[in-house]
Coordinates of all heavy atoms in Angstrom, one line a residue:
M1313 N 98.8 50.9 267.4 CA 97.4 51.4 267.7 C 96.6 51.3 266.4 O 97.0 51.8 265.4 CB 97.5 52.9 268.1 CG 98.1 53.1 269.4 SD 98.3 54.9 269.7 CE 99.3 54.9 271.2
P1314 N 95.5 50.6 266.4 CA 94.7 50.4 265.2 C 94.3 51.8 264.6 O 93.9 52.7 265.4 CB 93.5 49.6 265.6 CG 93.9 49.1 267.0 CD 94.9 50.0 267.6
A1315 N 94.3 51.9 263.3 CA 94.0 53.2 262.7 C 92.5 53.6 263.0 O 92.2 54.8 262.9 CB 94.2 53.2 261.2
K1316 N 91.7 52.6 263.2 CA 90.3 53.0 263.4 C 90.0 53.7 264.8 O 88.9 54.2 264.9 CB 89.4 51.8 263.2 CG 89.6 50.7 264.3 CD 88.6 49.5 264.0 CE 88.6 48.4 265.0 NZ 89.9 47.8 265.3
M1317 N 90.9 53.7 265.6 CA 90.7 54.4 266.9 C 90.7 55.9 266.7 O 91.4 56.4 265.9 CB 91.8 54.0 267.9 CG 91.7 52.6 268.5 SD 93.1 52.0 269.4 CE 93.2 53.1 270.8
T1318 N 89.9 56.5 267.5 CA 89.8 58.0 267.4 C 91.0 58.6 268.1 O 91.7 57.9 268.9 CB 88.6 58.6 268.1 OG1 88.7 58.3 269.5 CG2 87.3 58.0 267.5
F1319 N 91.3 59.9 267.9 CA 92.4 60.5 268.6 C 92.2 60.4 270.1 O 93.2 60.1 270.8 CB 92.4 62.0 268.2 CG 93.4 62.8 269.0 CD1 94.7 62.7 268.8 CD2 93.0 63.7 269.9 CE1 95.7 63.4 269.5 CE2 93.9 64.5 270.7 CZ 95.2 64.3 270.5
E1320 N 91.0 60.6 270.5 CA 90.7 60.6 272.0 C 91.0 59.2 272.5 O 91.6 59.0 273.6 CB 89.3 61.0 272.3 CG 89.0 62.5 272.1 CD 88.8 62.9 270.7 OE1 88.9 62.1 269.7 OE2 88.6 64.1 270.5
Q1321 N 90.7 58.1 271.8 CA 91.0 56.8 272.2 C 92.5 56.5 272.2 O 93.0 55.8 273.1 CB 90.2 55.8 271.3 CG 88.7 55.7 271.6 CD 88.0 55.0 270.5 OE1 88.4 54.9 269.4 NE2 86.8 54.4 270.9
N1322 N 93.2 57.1 271.2 CA 94.6 56.9 271.2 C 95.3 57.6 272.3 O 96.3 57.0 272.9 CB 95.2 57.5 269.8 CG 94.9 56.5 268.7 OD1 95.1 55.3 268.8 ND2 94.6 57.1 267.5
M1323 N 94.8 58.7 272.7 CA 95.3 59.4 273.9 C 95.1 58.6 275.2 O 96.0 58.5 276.0 CB 94.7 60.8 274.0 CG 95.2 61.8 273.0 SD 97.0 62.0 272.9 CE 97.4 61.0 271.4
E1324 N 93.9 58.0 275.3 CA 93.6 57.2 276.4 C 94.6 56.0 276.5 O 95.1 55.6 277.6 CB 92.2 56.7 276.4 CG 91.2 57.8 276.8 CD 89.7 57.4 276.5 OE1 89.4 56.2 276.3 OE2 88.9 58.3 276.4
A1325 N 94.8 55.4 275.3 CA 95.7 54.2 275.2 C 97.1 54.6 275.7 O 97.8 53.9 276.4 CB 95.7 53.6 273.8
L1326 N 97.6 55.8 275.2 CA 98.9 56.3 275.6 C 98.9 56.5 277.2 O 99.9 56.2 277.8 CB 99.2 57.6 274.9 CG 99.9 57.5 273.5 CD1 100.0 58.9 272.9 CD2 101.2 56.9 273.6
D1327 N 97.9 57.1 277.7 CA 97.8 57.4 279.1 C 97.8 56.1 280.0 O 98.3 56.1 281.1 CB 96.5 58.2 279.5 CG 96.6 59.6 279.0 OD1 97.8 60.1 278.7 OD2 95.6 60.3 278.9
R1328 N 97.4 55.0 279.4 CA 97.3 53.7 280.1 C 98.7 53.0 280.1 O 98.9 52.1 280.9 CB 96.3 52.7 279.5 CG 94.9 53.0 279.9 CD 93.9 51.9 279.6 NE 93.9 51.6 278.2 CZ 93.0 52.2 277.4 NH1 92.1 53.0 277.8 NH2 93.0 51.8 276.1
M1329 N 99.6 53.4 279.2 CA 100.9 52.8 279.2 C 101.8 53.2 280.4 O 101.5 54.2 281.0 CB 101.7 53.3 277.9 CG 101.1 52.8 276.6 SD 102.1 53.5 275.2 CE 101.2 52.8 273.8
S1330 N 102.8 52.4 280.7 CA 103.7 52.7 281.7 C 104.5 53.9 281.2 O 104.6 54.1 279.9 CB 104.7 51.5 282.0 OG 105.5 51.3 280.9
P1331 N 105.2 54.7 282.1 CA 106.0 55.8 281.6 C 107.0 55.4 280.6 O 107.3 56.1 279.6 CB 106.6 56.4 282.9 CG 105.7 55.9 284.0 CD 105.1 54.6 283.5
E1332 N 107.6 54.2 280.8 CA 108.7 53.7 279.9 C 108.1 53.4 278.5 O 108.7 53.8 277.5 CB 109.3 52.5 280.4 CG 110.1 52.7 281.7 CD 109.3 52.8 283.0 OE1 108.1 52.4 282.9 OE2 109.8 53.3 284.0
E1333 N 107.0 52.7 278.5 CA 106.3 52.4 277.2 C 105.9 53.6 276.5 O 106.0 53.7 275.3 CB 105.0 51.6 277.5 CG 105.3 50.1 277.8 CD 103.9 49.4 278.2 OE1 103.0 50.1 278.7 OE2 103.8 48.2 277.9
R1334 N 105.3 54.6 277.2 CA 104.9 55.8 276.6 C 106.0 56.6 276.0 O 106.0 57.1 274.9 CB 104.2 56.7 277.7 CG 103.4 57.8 277.1 CD 102.6 58.5 278.2 NE 101.8 59.6 277.5 CZ 102.4 60.7 277.1 NH1 103.7 61.0 277.3 NH2 101.6 61.7 276.5
D1335 N 107.1 56.7 276.8 CA 108.3 57.4 276.3 C 108.8 56.8 275.0 O 109.2 57.4 274.0 CB 109.4 57.4 277.3 CG 109.1 58.4 278.5 OD1 108.2 59.1 278.4 OD2 109.9 58.3 279.5
A1336 N 108.8 55.4 275.0 CA 109.3 54.7 273.8 C 108.4 55.0 272.6 O 108.9 55.2 271.5 CB 109.4 53.2 274.1
K1337 N 107.1 55.0 272.8 CA 106.1 55.3 271.8 C 106.3 56.7 271.2 O 106.3 56.9 270.0 CB 104.7 55.1 272.3 CG 103.6 55.2 271.2 CD 103.7 54.1 270.2 CE 102.7 54.3 269.1 NZ 102.9 53.3 268.0
I1338 N 106.5 57.7 272.1 CA 106.6 59.1 271.7 C 107.9 59.2 270.9 O 108.0 59.9 269.9 CB 106.6 60.0 272.9 CG1 105.3 60.0 273.6 CG2 107.0 61.4 272.5 CD1 104.1 60.4 272.8
A1339 N 109.0 58.5 271.4 CA 110.3 58.6 270.6 C 110.1 58.0 269.2 O 110.7 58.6 268.3 CB 111.4 57.8 271.4
E1340 N 109.4 56.9 269.1 CA 109.2 56.3 267.8 C 108.4 57.2 266.9 O 108.7 57.4 265.7 CB 108.4 55.0 268.1 CG 108.0 54.2 266.9 CD 106.9 53.1 267.3 OE1 107.0 52.5 268.4 OE2 105.9 53.0 266.5
L1341 N 107.4 57.9 267.5 CA 106.5 58.8 266.7 C 107.4 60.0 266.3 O 107.2 60.5 265.2 CB 105.3 59.2 267.4 CG 104.3 58.1 267.7 CD1 103.2 58.6 268.6 CD2 103.6 57.6 266.4
T1342 N 108.2 60.5 267.2 CA 109.0 61.7 266.9 C 109.9 61.5 265.7 O 110.1 62.4 264.9 CB 109.8 62.1 268.2 OG1 108.9 62.3 269.2 CG2 110.7 63.3 267.9
K1343 N 110.4 60.2 265.6 CA 111.2 59.9 264.4 C 110.5 60.0 263.1 O 111.0 60.2 262.0 CB 111.8 58.5 264.5 CG 112.9 58.3 265.4 CD 113.6 57.0 265.4 CE 114.2 56.6 266.6 NZ 114.1 55.2 267.0
M1344 N 109.1 59.9 263.2 CA 108.3 60.0 262.0 C 107.8 61.4 261.7 O 107.2 61.6 260.6 CB 107.1 59.1 262.2 CG 107.4 57.6 262.3 SD 106.1 56.6 263.1 CE 104.7 56.9 262.1
C1345 N 108.1 62.3 262.6 CA 107.6 63.7 262.4 C 108.3 64.4 261.2 O 109.5 64.3 261.1 CB 107.9 64.5 263.7 SG 107.5 66.3 263.6
I1346 N 107.5 65.0 260.4 CA 108.0 65.6 259.2 C 108.1 67.2 259.2 O 108.3 67.8 258.2 CB 107.2 65.2 257.9 CG1 105.7 65.6 258.0 CG2 107.3 63.7 257.7 CD1 104.9 65.4 256.7
C1347 N 107.9 67.7 260.4 CA 108.0 69.2 260.6 C 109.3 69.8 260.0 O 109.2 70.9 259.5 CB 108.0 69.6 262.1 SG 106.3 69.4 262.8
G1348 N 110.4 69.0 260.1 CA 111.6 69.5 259.5 C 111.6 69.9 258.1 O 112.5 70.6 257.6
A1349 N 110.6 69.3 257.3 CA 110.5 69.6 255.9 C 109.4 70.7 255.6 O 109.1 70.9 254.5 CB 110.2 68.3 255.2
C1350 N 108.9 71.3 256.7 CA 107.8 72.2 256.5 C 108.2 73.6 256.2 O 109.2 74.1 256.9 CB 107.0 72.1 257.8 SG 105.7 73.4 257.9
P1351 N 107.6 74.4 255.3 CA 108.0 75.7 255.1 C 107.8 76.7 256.3 O 108.6 77.7 256.4 CB 107.1 76.2 253.9 CG 106.0 75.1 253.8 CD 106.5 73.9 254.4
T1352 N 107.0 76.3 257.2 CA 106.8 77.1 258.4 C 108.0 76.9 259.3 O 108.4 77.8 260.1 CB 105.5 76.8 259.1 OG1 104.4 77.3 258.3 CG2 105.4 77.4 260.5
Y1353 N 108.7 75.8 259.3 CA 109.7 75.4 260.2 C 111.1 75.8 259.6 O 112.0 76.3 260.4 CB 109.7 73.9 260.3 CG 110.5 73.2 261.4 CD1 110.0 72.9 262.6 CD2 111.9 72.9 261.1 CE1 110.8 72.2 263.6 CE2 112.7 72.3 262.1 CZ 112.1 72.0 263.3 OH 112.9 71.3 264.3
I1354 N 111.3 75.6 258.3 CA 112.6 75.8 257.7 C 113.1 77.2 257.8 O 112.3 78.1 257.6 CB 112.6 75.3 256.2 CG1 112.4 73.8 256.1 CG2 113.8 75.8 255.5 CD1 112.0 73.3 254.7
G1355 N 114.3 77.4 258.3 CA 114.9 78.7 258.4 C 114.6 79.5 259.7 O 115.0 80.6 259.9
T1356 N 113.8 78.8 260.6 CA 113.4 79.6 261.8 C 114.5 79.3 262.9 O 114.5 80.1 263.9 CB 112.1 79.0 262.4 OG1 112.2 77.6 262.6 CG2 110.9 79.3 261.4
G1357 N 115.3 78.3 262.8 CA 116.2 78.0 263.8 C 115.6 77.0 264.8 O 116.3 76.6 265.8
E1358 N 114.4 76.7 264.7 CA 113.7 75.7 265.5 C 114.4 74.3 265.4 O 114.9 74.0 264.3 CB 112.2 75.6 265.2 CG 111.4 74.6 266.0 CD 111.5 74.9 267.5 OE1 112.5 74.5 268.2 OE2 110.5 75.5 268.0
T1359 N 114.6 73.6 266.5 CA 115.2 72.3 266.4 C 114.3 71.2 267.0 O 114.6 70.0 266.7 CB 116.5 72.3 267.2 OG1 116.3 72.7 268.5 CG2 117.6 73.2 266.5
V1360 N 113.3 71.5 267.8 CA 112.5 70.5 268.3 C 111.4 70.0 267.3 O 111.1 70.8 266.3 CB 111.9 70.9 269.7 CG1 112.9 71.2 270.7 CG2 110.8 72.0 269.5
L1361 N 110.8 68.9 267.6 CA 109.8 68.3 266.7 C 108.5 67.9 267.5 O 108.5 68.1 268.7 CB 110.4 67.1 266.0 CG 111.5 67.3 265.0 CD1 112.2 66.0 264.6 CD2 111.1 68.1 263.8
M1362 N 107.6 67.4 266.8 CA 106.4 66.7 267.4 C 105.6 67.7 268.3 O 105.2 67.5 269.4 CB 107.0 65.6 268.3 CG 106.0 64.6 268.8 SD 105.5 63.4 267.6 CE 104.5 62.4 268.6
F1363 N 105.3 68.9 267.6 CA 104.5 69.9 268.3 C 103.1 69.4 268.7 O 102.4 69.9 269.6 CB 104.4 71.2 267.5 CG 105.7 71.7 267.2 CD1 106.3 71.6 265.9 CD2 106.5 72.3 268.1 CE1 107.5 72.1 265.6 CE2 107.8 72.8 267.9 CZ 108.3 72.7 266.6
C1364 N 102.6 68.4 267.9 CA 101.3 67.8 268.2 C 101.2 67.1 269.5 O 100.2 67.0 270.1 CB 100.9 66.8 267.1 SG 102.0 65.5 266.8
E1365 N 102.4 66.8 270.1 CA 102.5 66.2 271.4 C 103.0 67.2 272.4 O 102.4 67.3 273.5 CB 103.5 65.0 271.4 CG 104.0 64.5 272.7 CD 102.9 63.9 273.5 OE1 101.8 63.5 273.0 OE2 103.0 63.8 274.8
I1366 N 104.0 68.0 272.1 CA 104.6 68.9 273.1 C 103.9 70.3 273.1 O 104.1 71.1 274.1 CB 106.1 69.1 272.9 CG1 106.4 69.8 271.6 CG2 106.8 67.7 273.0 CD1 107.9 70.2 271.5
G1367 N 103.1 70.6 272.1 CA 102.5 71.9 272.1 C 103.3 73.0 271.3 O 104.2 72.7 270.6
R1368 N 102.9 74.2 271.5 CA 103.4 75.3 270.7 C 105.0 75.4 270.7 O 105.6 75.2 271.7 CB 102.9 76.7 271.2 CG 101.4 76.9 270.9 CD 100.9 78.2 271.4 NE 99.4 78.3 271.3 CZ 98.6 77.7 272.1 NH1 99.0 77.0 273.2 NH2 97.3 77.8 271.9
S1369 N 105.5 75.9 269.6 CA 106.9 76.2 269.5 C 107.2 77.5 270.2 O 106.4 78.4 270.2 CB 107.3 76.4 268.0 OG 108.6 76.9 267.9
K1370 N 108.4 77.6 270.8 CA 108.8 78.8 271.5 C 109.4 79.8 270.4 O 109.7 80.9 270.7 CB 109.7 78.5 272.6 CG 109.1 77.8 273.8 CD 110.1 77.6 274.9 CE 109.5 77.0 276.1 NZ 109.1 75.6 275.9
I1371 N 109.7 79.2 269.3 CA 110.5 80.0 268.2 C 109.6 80.3 267.0 O 109.6 81.5 266.5 CB 111.7 79.1 267.8 CG1 112.7 79.1 269.0 CG2 112.4 79.7 266.6 CD1 113.8 78.1 268.8
I1372 N 108.8 79.4 266.6 CA 108.0 79.6 265.4 C 106.8 80.5 265.8 O 106.0 80.2 266.7 CB 107.5 78.3 264.8 CG1 108.7 77.5 264.3 CG2 106.5 78.6 263.6 CD1 108.3 76.0 263.9
K1373 N 106.7 81.6 265.1 CA 105.6 82.6 265.4 C 104.7 82.9 264.2 O 103.7 83.6 264.4 CB 106.2 83.9 265.9 CG 107.1 83.8 267.1 CD 106.2 83.4 268.3 CE 107.1 83.1 269.6 NZ 106.4 82.3 270.6
K1374 N 105.1 82.4 263.0 CA 104.3 82.8 261.8 C 104.1 81.6 260.9 O 105.1 80.9 260.6 CB 105.1 83.9 261.1 CG 104.4 84.5 259.9 CD 105.2 85.7 259.4 CE 104.7 86.2 258.1 NZ 105.0 85.3 257.0
G1375 N 102.9 81.3 260.5 CA 102.6 80.2 259.6 C 103.0 80.5 258.2 O 102.7 81.6 257.7
N1376 N 103.5 79.4 257.5 CA 103.8 79.6 256.1 C 103.4 78.3 255.4 O 104.1 77.8 254.5 CB 105.3 79.9 255.9 CG 105.7 80.3 254.5 OD1 104.8 80.8 253.8 ND2 106.9 80.1 254.1
G1377 N 102.3 77.7 255.8 CA 101.9 76.3 255.3 C 102.2 75.3 256.4 O 103.2 75.4 257.1
C1378 N 101.4 74.3 256.4 CA 101.5 73.2 257.4 C 101.4 71.9 256.7 O 100.4 71.6 256.0 CB 100.5 73.3 258.5 SG 100.5 71.9 259.7
I1379 N 102.4 71.0 256.9 CA 102.3 69.7 256.2 C 101.9 68.5 257.1 O 101.9 67.4 256.7 CB 103.7 69.4 255.5 CG1 104.8 69.3 256.5 CG2 104.0 70.4 254.4 CD1 106.2 68.8 255.9
C1380 N 101.4 68.9 258.3 CA 100.9 67.9 259.2 C 99.9 66.9 258.6 O 99.9 65.7 258.9 CB 100.3 68.5 260.5 SG 101.6 69.2 261.6
P1381 N 98.9 67.5 257.8 CA 97.9 66.5 257.2 C 98.5 65.4 256.4 O 97.9 64.3 256.3 CB 97.1 67.4 256.3 CG 97.2 68.8 256.9 CD 98.6 68.8 257.4
G1382 N 99.8 65.5 255.9 CA 100.4 64.4 255.2 C 101.4 63.6 256.1 O 102.1 62.7 255.6
C1383 N 101.4 63.8 257.4 CA 102.4 63.2 258.3 C 101.8 61.8 258.8 O 100.7 61.7 259.2 CB 102.6 64.1 259.5 SG 103.6 63.3 260.8
P1384 N 102.7 60.8 258.8 CA 102.3 59.5 259.3 C 101.9 59.5 260.8 O 101.0 58.7 261.2 CB 103.5 58.6 259.1 CG 104.7 59.5 258.8 CD 104.1 60.8 258.3
V1385 N 102.4 60.5 261.6 CA 102.0 60.6 263.0 C 100.5 61.1 263.1 O 99.7 60.6 263.9 CB 102.9 61.5 263.8 CG1 102.4 61.7 265.2 CG2 104.3 61.0 263.7
Q1386 N 100.2 62.0 262.2 CA 98.8 62.5 262.1 C 97.9 61.4 261.9 O 96.9 61.3 262.6 CB 98.8 63.5 261.0 CG 97.4 64.1 260.7 CD 97.2 65.5 261.4 OE1 97.8 65.7 262.5 NE2 96.3 66.3 260.9
K1387 N 98.2 60.5 261.0 CA 97.4 59.4 260.6 C 97.4 58.3 261.7 O 96.3 57.9 262.1 CB 97.9 58.8 259.3 CG 96.9 57.9 258.7 CD 97.4 57.5 257.3 CE 96.4 56.7 256.5 NZ 96.8 56.4 255.2
S1388 N 98.5 58.0 262.3 CA 98.7 57.0 263.3 C 97.8 57.3 264.5 O 97.2 56.4 265.1 CB 100.1 56.8 263.6 OG 100.3 56.0 264.7
L1389 N 97.8 58.6 264.9 CA 97.1 59.0 266.1 C 95.7 59.5 265.8 O 94.9 59.8 266.7 CB 97.9 60.1 266.9 CG 99.2 59.7 267.4 CD1 99.9 60.9 268.1 CD2 99.1 58.5 268.4
A1390 N 95.3 59.5 264.5 CA 94.0 60.0 264.1 C 93.8 61.5 264.6 O 92.7 61.8 265.0 CB 92.8 59.1 264.6
Q1391 N 94.8 62.3 264.4 CA 94.7 63.7 264.7 C 93.9 64.4 263.7 O 94.0 64.1 262.5 CB 96.1 64.3 264.9 CG 96.9 63.6 266.0 CD 98.1 64.3 266.4 OE1 98.2 64.9 267.4 NE2 99.1 64.3 265.5
R1392 N 93.2 65.5 264.0 CA 92.3 66.1 263.1 C 92.7 67.6 262.9 O 92.0 68.3 262.2 CB 90.9 66.1 263.6 CG 90.4 64.8 264.1 CD 88.9 64.8 264.4 NE 88.6 65.5 265.7 CZ 88.6 65.0 266.9 NH1 89.0 63.7 267.0 NH2 88.3 65.6 268.0
W1393 N 93.9 68.0 263.4 CA 94.2 69.5 263.3 C 95.5 69.7 262.6 O 96.0 68.8 261.9 CB 94.3 70.0 264.8 CG 93.1 69.6 265.6 CD1 91.9 70.3 265.7 CD2 92.9 68.4 266.3 NE1 91.0 69.6 266.4 CE2 91.6 68.4 266.8 CE3 93.7 67.3 266.6 CZ2 91.0 67.4 267.6 CZ3 93.2 66.2 267.4 CH2 91.9 66.3 267.9
N1394 N 95.9 71.0 262.6 CA 97.2 71.3 262.0 C 97.8 72.5 262.7 O 97.3 72.9 263.8 CB 97.0 71.6 260.5 CG 96.0 72.8 260.3 OD1 95.7 73.6 261.2 ND2 95.5 72.9 259.1
Y1395 N 99.0 73.0 262.2 CA 99.7 74.1 262.9 C 99.8 73.9 264.4 O 99.6 74.8 265.2 CB 98.9 75.4 262.6 CG 99.3 76.0 261.2 CD1 98.3 76.1 260.2 CD2 100.5 76.5 260.9 CE1 98.6 76.6 258.9 CE2 100.8 77.0 259.7 CZ 99.8 77.1 258.7 OH 100.1 77.6 257.5
Y1396 N 100.2 72.7 264.8 CA 100.4 72.4 266.2 C 101.4 73.3 266.8 O 101.4 73.7 268.0 CB 100.8 70.9 266.4 CG 99.7 70.0 265.9 CD1 99.9 69.4 264.6 CD2 98.6 69.7 266.6 CE1 98.9 68.5 264.1 CE2 97.6 68.9 266.1 CZ 97.8 68.3 264.9 OH 96.8 67.4 264.4
C1397 N 102.4 73.7 266.0 CA 103.5 74.6 266.5 C 103.0 76.0 266.8 O 103.6 76.7 267.7 CB 104.6 74.7 265.4 SG 104.0 75.4 263.8
L1398 N 101.9 76.4 266.3 CA 101.3 77.7 266.5 C 100.0 77.6 267.4 O 99.8 78.5 268.2 CB 101.0 78.4 265.2 CG 102.2 78.8 264.4 CD1 101.7 79.3 263.0 CD2 103.0 79.9 265.0
K1399 N 99.3 76.6 267.2 CA 97.9 76.5 267.8 C 97.9 75.6 269.1 O 96.9 75.6 269.8 CB 96.9 76.0 266.8 CG 96.7 77.0 265.6 CD 95.4 76.7 264.9 CE 95.5 75.9 263.7 NZ 94.3 75.6 263.0
G1400 N 98.9 74.8 269.2 CA 99.0 73.9 270.4 C 98.8 72.4 270.0 O 98.5 72.1 268.9
S1401 N 99.1 71.6 271.0 CA 99.1 70.1 270.8 C 97.7 69.6 270.4 O 96.7 70.3 270.5 CB 99.5 69.5 272.1 OG 98.4 69.6 273.1
G1402 N 97.7 68.4 270.0 CA 96.4 67.7 269.6 C 95.5 67.7 270.8 O 94.3 68.0 270.7
K1403 N 96.0 67.4 272.0 CA 95.2 67.4 273.2 C 94.6 68.8 273.5 O 93.4 69.0 273.8 CB 96.0 67.0 274.4 CG 96.1 65.5 274.6 CD 96.7 65.1 275.9 CE 96.6 63.7 276.2 NZ 97.3 63.3 277.5
E1404 N 95.4 69.9 273.3 CA 94.9 71.2 273.5 C 93.8 71.6 272.4 O 92.8 72.1 272.8 CB 96.1 72.2 273.4 CG 97.0 72.2 274.6 CD 98.2 73.1 274.3 OE1 99.1 72.8 273.4 OE2 98.4 74.0 275.1
Q1405 N 94.1 71.2 271.2 CA 93.1 71.5 270.1 C 91.8 70.7 270.3 O 90.7 71.1 269.9 CB 93.7 71.4 268.8 CG 94.9 72.4 268.6 CD 95.2 72.6 267.1 OE1 94.4 73.0 266.3 NE2 96.5 72.4 266.7
A1406 N 91.9 69.5 270.9 CA 90.8 68.7 271.1 C 90.1 69.1 272.4 O 89.1 68.5 272.8 CB 91.2 67.2 271.2
E1407 N 90.7 70.1 273.1 CA 90.2 70.6 274.4 C 90.1 69.4 275.4 O 89.2 69.4 276.2 CB 88.8 71.3 274.2 CG 89.0 72.4 273.3 CD 87.7 73.3 273.2 OE1 86.7 72.9 273.6 OE2 87.9 74.5 272.7
L1408 N 91.2 68.6 275.4 CA 91.3 67.5 276.4 C 92.2 68.0 277.5 O 92.3 67.4 278.6 CB 92.0 66.3 275.8 CG 91.1 65.5 274.7 CD1 92.0 64.4 274.1 CD2 89.8 65.0 275.3
L1409 N 92.8 69.2 277.3 CA 93.7 69.7 278.4 C 93.0 71.0 278.8 O 92.4 71.8 278.1 CB 95.1 70.0 277.8 CG 96.0 68.8 277.6 CD1 97.3 69.3 277.0 CD2 96.2 68.0 278.8
Ligands
LIG1925 S1 101.5 65.8 262.9 FE1 102.8 67.6 262.5 S2 103.7 68.1 264.5 FE2 102.8 66.0 264.6 S3 104.5 64.7 264.2 FE3 103.5 65.1 262.2 S4 104.5 66.8 261.3 FE4 105.1 66.7 263.4
LIG1926 S1 103.2 71.7 263.1 FE1 102.6 71.9 261.0 S2 103.1 74.1 260.5 FE2 104.2 73.6 262.4 S3 106.2 73.0 261.7 FE3 105.0 71.1 261.9 S4 104.2 70.8 259.8 FE4 104.9 72.9 259.9

């Protein structure tokens, strides 16, 4: 996805993909997620990643800094938010859902 596309355009592009293509793209992005190195994540027992796609964590309840602004997924999808684990997915924060 070209970096110049907006988050909303990137979401439309994902929605146009076949389920298989979309799953492959999400899997590729999940590998790039850096939540595992985040002070809000470490020590909580959380194991899932990619809150910008899946929405709030069921385990993380308290913020202690968010490193999403430095994440390659943030840049790749042109996301504009942070604390996805607490505040919800990019789509939720963009009020697309
Ligand atoms: S933007 Fe944040 S939640 Fe999304 S993949 Fe990157 S580190 Fe994970
Ligand atoms: S969404 Fe942000 S605050 Fe939450 S674990 Fe990932 S990097 Fe940390």
Side-chain angles (χ1 to χ4, degrees):
M1313 292 172 189
K1316 64 181 186 304
M1317 283 166 71
T1318 65
F1319 173 72
E1320 287 77 1
Q1321 288 168 332
N1322 282 321
M1323 290 302 101
E1324 284 167 19
L1326 274 174
D1327 287 344
R1328 281 195 299 272
M1329 289 179 183
S1330 70
E1332 294 77 18
E1333 282 175 329
R1334 192 174 182 285
D1335 287 352
K1337 184 68 188 174
I1338 297 297
E1340 179 194 318
L1341 293 171
T1342 301
K1343 282 189 207 145
M1344 294 157 61
C1345 175
I1346 59 172
C1347 285
C1350 171
T1352 292
Y1353 190 101
I1354 292 169
T1356 59
E1358 180 57 279
T1359 56
V1360 304
L1361 295 167
M1362 198 77 178
F1363 304 106
C1364 56
E1365 166 65 20
I1366 66 169
R1368 290 177 187 81
S1369 167
K1370 293 184 175 65
I1371 292 172
I1372 298 169
K1373 299 294 175 201
K1374 187 171 169 287
N1376 190 26
C1378 175
I1379 60 174
C1380 289
C1383 172
V1385 177
Q1386 177 93 333
K1387 196 170 187 179
S1388 172
L1389 296 178
Q1391 301 193 107
R1392 309 187 288 275
W1393 307 274
N1394 59 17
Y1395 281 112
Y1396 302 99
C1397 60
L1398 294 169
K1399 297 201 263 180
S1401 68
K1403 276 187 168 177
E1404 287 172 296
Q1405 296 199 56
E1407 301 189 344
L1408 293 175
L1409 289 179

